[in-house]
Amino acid sequence: MGTLLLEGGAEFGGAMREPDLHAIELAGGFDSSIRIIPTAAAPDKNHLRAGNNGIRWFMSLGATDVEPVLLINDESANDPEIAETLHAAKLIYMLGGFTHYLGQTLKNSLAWESVLDAYKEGAVVAGSSAGAMVMCEYYFDPGRGVVERGLNLVPNACVLPHHNTFGKNWADKLKSLLPGVTLLGIDEYTGMLTGGAAWQVLGGGAVTVYDGDEVSVYQHGQRFVFG
């Protein structure tokens, strides 16, 4: 298997350097292929700008092979060329935006099957905000106030992004809606990266883990397990 990186948001604002550099290193270095999935930004027609922001960001870190993938709807999610591009990628990055649109577009698609194949062959799969949310077994759709089934790369978990700003306000509601499920509150400018059985906190903030009535806060550099 490859590596997973969940980030709490504000992904291209300049402060996600540490987790993203770790992801690049684990993907094979600065010349490895990085492909950005801008689907979550498509509903408000912001996917081109968001994808270009990702190119600038990763190239500022030293990456040389960075491209957005024009995966913006159900049709493109099942395009064989896009699927092939994702299968060949070494770092696949899903940026933030409209969570439910991203989750439903990728679910059961040819593109997502290719992401899973790439992950099984050692690729890094990363997501920030909405991207991180859909990677879990469950995600919260704040627009409708309901919980949906995610893509389940992280079983029995649900991410609360932007935890240090508004995400923490979802905790009580989600503990009620998802009893027995681990809630992962990830601050902005912060990532949690898999490393063996444990996750490590990278970046400028903390990760807050809600496990039933127990709440644990992990700071920069700390490792933890859950589930």
Side-chain angles (χ1 to χ4, degrees), residues 58-184:
F58 280 106
M59 292 188 75
S60 78
L61 298 178
T64 62
D65 183 4
V66 190
E67 294 179 6
V69 178
L70 199 59
L71 198 171
I72 57 173
N73 52 30
D74 291 340
E75 181 181 0
S76 52
N78 289 286
D79 184 314
E81 279 191 34
I82 287 177
E84 185 178 344
T85 296
L86 291 170
H87 189 188
K90 300 304 179 186
L91 169 55
I92 300 163
Y93 192 99
M94 295 180 286
L95 47 75
F98 292 81
T99 309
H100 189 54
Y101 184 82
L102 173 62
Q104 292 303 298
T105 302
L106 289 180
K107 194 171 187 178
N108 299 319
S109 70
L110 190 60
W112 185 247
E113 288 179 16
S114 293
V115 172
L116 291 178
D117 287 341
Y119 172 61
K120 291 171 186 175
E121 293 166 14
V124 178
V125 179
S128 182
S129 190
M133 293 169 74
V134 301
M135 288 168 65
C136 295
E137 184 172 357
Y138 303 97
Y139 65 83
F140 179 56
D141 180 7
R144 297 180 301 139
V146 298
V147 169
E148 297 281 356
R149 287 271 181 175
L151 300 172
N152 202 26
L153 273 178
V154 187
N156 201 46
C158 178
V159 161
L160 287 63
H162 305 273
H163 186 262
N164 55 321
T165 54
F166 62 82
K168 59 191 174 186
N169 300 324
W170 300 351
D172 288 341
K173 180 181 182 72
L174 288 177
K175 282 193 285 186
S176 174
L177 290 174
L178 292 170
V181 173
T182 301
L183 306 180
L184 303 169

